[in-house]
Amino acid sequence: MMNKLKDISLGNWILIGMVLGLIFGLVLNFHVSDPYIKNVIFMDNIFYLGGNLFIKLMKMLVVPLVFCSIVVGVASISDIKTLGSIGGTTILIYLLTTAIAVTVALAIGMFIKPGLGLNMVHVAQNSNVTVNQTIADTILNIVPDNPINSLASGDMLPVIIFGVLVGIILAKLKDETQLVSDLFTQGNRIMMEMTSIVMKFAPIGVFCLMAKTFGSLGIEGIFPLSKYFICVLIGLAIQAFIVYPSLLGIFTRLNPIKFFRKFISVMFFAFSSSTSNATIPLNMDKLSEMGVSRDVSSFTIPLGATINMDGTAIMQGVAVMFAAQAYGIDLGTSALLTVIFTAVMASVGTAGVPSVGLVTLTMVFNSVGLPIEAIGIIFGIDHILDMFRTAVNVTGDAICTIIVSFRNKAMDVDIFNGKKEPEKQKSIL
């Protein structure tokens, strides 16, 4: 029996915690009439302590995890200088698709309004929402006056900019700063391990957060959560089947249907494995079968698995609108632009650990002052959405690779169109 319990994945444990918390909260709400047992013992102590302790652990991770990840990520892609236009084009397209993804997500959230009806205004804690700043002020505020103060206060946009600058300098100085580079690499590894440890407590934290939420809200809270789920799926579908095919058609004139017909097996593998990294070899092999030079894909696919997180950006965009609507917060234009910028940068700094997208979501929330507590409500269903997000992420990596390969004359279009069989390709680098 114990062995069977050990075989249950963390994602499934989180889902179990969500369902049990939802049921327990509803039972407490409708069948426990004693206010002392319901409010004092459970709501104000057990659930409050368990849920908020987990939230604080997540918030503890954000600044060091993101800062180390961005420094290491930017420093590690310095080799693009040797790849010329291929590297520059790849990164530009990856960042473009991520910006499109989060913009689509925000638009869907504004239209469907998934958080409407949840009415979490009464449980909102202190927040400093970015709603009335001008665009000029928003741009000025991303440059830190004092980077140490920004790190200490968790002011994420200046932290991101400072991390990018440090990474660029480390990449430029290379051997002269090897000791510092190793320090950040090891720090990044430590934070990834710490994240994995904290995530082990996620099922308990999710149980407490869900029980507290539905213990006070009741059955009406399920409908907004369902709308959130649907909004994310709609955003992922638009990105995968409208945005990506459109980019493929605009930049290459290749037939998207032929691409999906050949690539569908990779999408299913990514869906089942929920990890972009595990899909890298299969992705590269499939692209070779489509006529893409392996010299290009061996660079763009691993890079994409690190910095191209369109699916995660869509989740974060919808989550921002969900939280803002649930807490009755009207985000202004500058706040929405901040969300787009932060989500794009978060994709570059996303570490390769399970559900880390929800940890970096804390960073996105912090950037516009949204209450972090809202993350606990959507945490439980994230494992299911993560499967869909991964499939979209690897599809975006492949589409961008085809575009880069095509524009650099490193692709055999006849192989893609099925006019001839794949063959060993000549190196272009």
Side-chain angles (χ1 to χ4, degrees):
M1 180 66 177
M2 290 299 296
N3 289 334
K4 289 183 178 179
L5 291 177
K6 289 180 180 179
D7 290 337
I8 299 176
S9 67
L10 176 63
N12 287 331
W13 274 120
I14 292 174
L15 188 60
I16 291 170
M18 181 200 75
V19 174
L20 292 179
L22 188 152
I23 294 172
F24 197 93
L26 292 176
V27 169
L28 196 66
N29 196 0
F30 294 110
H31 297 286
V32 177
S33 56
D34 189 330
Y36 182 81
I37 295 176
K38 176 183 176 181
N39 296 322
V40 178
I41 295 179
F42 284 103
M43 301 292 287
D44 297 336
N45 284 281
I46 296 177
F47 297 154
Y48 175 82
L49 176 63
N52 282 278
L53 182 61
F54 178 65
I55 291 291
K56 286 181 76 68
L57 286 171
M58 284 183 61
K59 291 170 71 174
M60 175 188 73
L61 296 171
V62 174
V63 173
L65 173 66
V66 171
F67 183 66
C68 289
S69 295
I70 286 181
V71 171
V72 172
V74 173
S76 68
I77 61 176
S78 62
D79 288 342
I80 63 170
K81 293 179 181 179
T82 64
L83 298 175
S85 63
I86 290 179
T89 304
T90 301
I91 292 178
L92 185 63
I93 294 176
Y94 280 154
L95 295 180
L96 172 65
T97 59
T98 304
I100 292 173
V102 69
T103 303
V104 167
L106 291 172
I108 292 171
M110 288 181 204
F111 181 74
I112 299 180
K113 303 186 186 307
L116 209 62
L118 196 55
N119 192 23
M120 298 289 290
V121 178
H122 63 287
V123 296
Q125 297 185 356
N126 294 332
S127 60
N128 183 21
V129 184
T130 306
V131 289
N132 295 317
Q133 287 185 347
T134 65
I135 295 176
D137 286 336
T138 301
I139 295 172
L140 288 173
N141 287 339
I142 70 175
V143 180
D145 295 320
N146 183 341
I148 304 302
N149 184 59
S150 297
L151 287 164
S153 62
D155 195 1
M156 291 313 303
L157 287 179
V159 167
I160 291 171
I161 293 299
F162 186 62
V164 170
L165 292 174
V166 172
I168 291 172
I169 297 300
L170 290 177
K172 181 180 179 181
L173 297 179
K174 295 181 180 177
D175 295 338
E176 298 177 50
T177 55
Q178 190 59 50
L179 181 63
V180 179
S181 295
D182 291 342
L183 179 65
F184 277 109
T185 301
Q186 292 167 13
N188 188 45
R189 180 71 188 89
I190 290 171
M191 292 312 304
M192 288 168 61
E193 182 63 25
M194 190 179 295
T195 302
S196 296
I197 293 172
V198 170
M199 291 300 294
K200 293 182 185 299
F201 296 95
I204 299 173
V206 167
F207 172 82
C208 291
L209 289 165
M210 292 295 289
K212 190 173 190 305
T213 298
F214 287 94
S216 57
L217 290 178
I219 198 74
E220 66 269 16
I222 297 177
F223 182 59
L225 196 61
S226 301
K227 286 202 293 182
Y228 164 81
F229 187 90
I230 293 170
C231 282
V232 176
L233 290 185
I234 291 173
L236 294 173
I238 290 174
Q239 188 75 7
F241 302 116
I242 296 178
V243 174
Y244 290 152
S246 298
L247 292 175
L248 187 66
I250 291 170
F251 289 108
T252 69
R253 304 295 180 185
L254 296 175
N255 189 338
I257 296 176
K258 291 183 178 179
F259 166 79
F260 283 110
R261 193 175 294 158
K262 296 177 180 180
F263 197 73
I264 190 68
S265 60
V266 182
M267 296 177 70
F268 278 125
F269 179 81
F271 178 85
S272 61
S273 66
S274 295
T275 168
S276 298
N277 288 337
T279 316
I280 287 174
L282 184 62
N283 202 344
M284 290 171 60
D285 286 342
K286 186 59 67 175
L287 287 170
S288 293
E289 293 175 15
M290 295 185 200
V292 174
S293 168
R294 189 172 282 270
D295 287 330
V296 174
S297 64
S298 63
F299 167 72
T300 58
I301 295 302
L303 180 64
T306 304
I307 72 170
N308 188 41
M309 301 289 179
D310 295 351
T312 301
I314 287 170
M315 176 273 289
Q316 292 174 340
V318 175
V320 163
M321 298 310 301
F322 174 83
Q325 291 155 8
Y327 286 88
I329 296 170
D330 185 17
L331 295 177
T333 302
S334 63
L336 296 178
L337 291 174
T338 299
V339 168
I340 294 172
F341 176 81
T342 310
V344 170
M345 295 310 300
S347 71
V348 177
T350 298
V353 293
S355 297
V356 76
L358 283 168
V359 178
T360 55
L361 177 59
T362 305
M363 177 184 78
V364 177
F365 274 32
N366 280 337
S367 71
V368 289
L370 288 173
I372 305 300
E373 291 76 14
I375 297 177
I377 303 173
I378 62 177
F379 212 117
I381 59 175
D382 186 70
H383 177 59
I384 302 173
L385 291 173
D386 189 40
M387 301 169 75
F388 290 97
R389 293 203 306 262
T390 305
V392 171
N393 287 342
V394 300
T395 303
D397 296 345
I399 291 286
C400 292
T401 296
I402 290 176
I403 292 172
V404 171
S405 183
F406 180 88
R407 294 185 66 82
N408 286 277
K409 297 180 172 54
M411 179 177 183
D412 193 324
V413 177
D414 288 337
I415 294 177
F416 180 90
N417 290 324
K419 295 181 180 179
K420 69 178 184 179
E421 293 296 315
E423 57 186 23
K424 188 175 180 180
Q425 300 167 57
K426 183 179 179 181
S427 175
I428 66 161
L429 301 176

